Amino acid sequence: MRALNVTAMKKLEIIVEGEQQGFVVDLLDRAGAGGYTILHNLSGKGTHGVHMGHLMFNDDSVLVMIVTAVSVDLVAPILEGLTPFFNKHMGVVFTSDIQVSRLVKMPSE
Amino acid sequence: MRALNVTAMKKLEIIVEGEQQGFVVDLLDRAGAGGYTILHNLSGKGTHGVHMGHLMFNDDSVLVMIVTAVSVDLVAPILEGLTPFFNKHMGVVFTSDIQVSRLVKMPSE
Amino acid sequence: MRALNVTAMKKLEIIVEGEQQGFVVDLLDRAGAGGYTILHNLSGKGTHGVHMGHLMFNDDSVLVMIVTAVSVDLVAPILEGLTPFFNKHMGVVFTSDIQVSRLVKMPSE
């Protein structure tokens, strides 16, 4: 039986309007993220940005949260890749530290 | 093109019964949280609290998770504001460290 | 009025195919986790594991994320309990640090 591998990674939680899901998923694929999970049909409101009163979402938006676990060195490229997108569309990214446990084939297999 | 701003914040994940969503959202608004995202139609069970065997949810509850990112100084007031609510209703709050990336208008704009 | 108790715990986010939800929930119950919350109808893709190109999910999978907060000493037993499961089924576990706020009965009550 193979063992679970535990790896320190970064979790990105990318919240965007549902119709923008495809762009984000493509960006993650191109950036080399190993996968993602999508939470659908979220609602939300972002009336005021922390510093500048930036309107993000209104109550009627149908949002998705795209969750991915990536190595630390992928965080900056993904955020840079999202910057032009966020200049046109609403959204926010949460980054946090996680340990990821998944099954890993042993080299001898 | 404007840059993404990255800010260290606290993520609050507030899990309550769906019908209590309005109270929590109002509390977040009044506390000055800059927005929130709501995950709907969760289920769950909390048979035993960590220390005291506190029944939280049963299998039939329809729950929501209200996610918000706030500055550190807002955590205590929000938890205090939730205390009377949690004396009447079931719920739990997860607090964790995150970095929030969103678009911020430059001062020159 | 009773006060909210804040406890440092580990959050486990266990992502599996929806049909496997029962196994995971039973495992958490047997391991002594005090409860869980289930997010339904997620989608996702795991085309390549970080190290080994392990196919996890395809686009058509309907996934669930089972969220639980446990004390640190329960993390290893739960991951060990999941290992035989992950040798047969797809899945991933995210572990992270959280503070859990919930209502706790005072000893004098």
Side-chain angles (χ1 to χ4, degrees), chain B residues 38-107:
Chain B
I38 304 175
L39 288 61
H40 301 274
N41 293 316
L42 283 57
S43 59
K45 196 170 68 164
T47 50
H48 296 287
V50 179
H51 297 296
M52 297 286 175
H54 178 62
L55 178 66
M56 295 202 308
F57 299 119
N58 62 59
D59 274 318
D60 298 326
S61 300
V62 175
L63 310 176
V64 292
M65 180 188 287
I66 300 163
V67 181
T68 188
V70 297
S71 57
V72 172
D73 57 297
L74 279 186
V75 174
I78 290 171
L79 292 181
E80 281 170 29
L82 286 170
T83 300
F85 174 83
F86 280 167
N87 272 270
K88 293 182 188 162
H89 303 286
M90 307 181 292
V92 64
V93 182
F94 298 155
T95 306
S96 58
D97 295 310
I98 49 164
Q99 288 77 48
V100 177
S101 304
R102 54 164 65 108
L103 209 61
V104 175
K105 278 192 161 188
M106 292 295 109

Side-chain angles (χ1 to χ4, degrees), chain C residues 29 35 48 53-54 64 66 69:
Chain C
D29 278 341
H48 296 287
H54 178 61
V64 292
I66 300 162

Side-chain angles (χ1 to χ4, degrees), chain B residues 13 43 45 86-87 93 95, chain C residues 11 36 38 40 99 101 103:
Chain B
E13 296 169 303
S43 59
K45 196 170 68 164
F86 280 167
N87 272 270
V93 182
T95 306
Chain C
K11 181 166 75 165
Y36 51 81
I38 305 175
H40 302 273
Q99 288 78 47
S101 304
L103 209 61

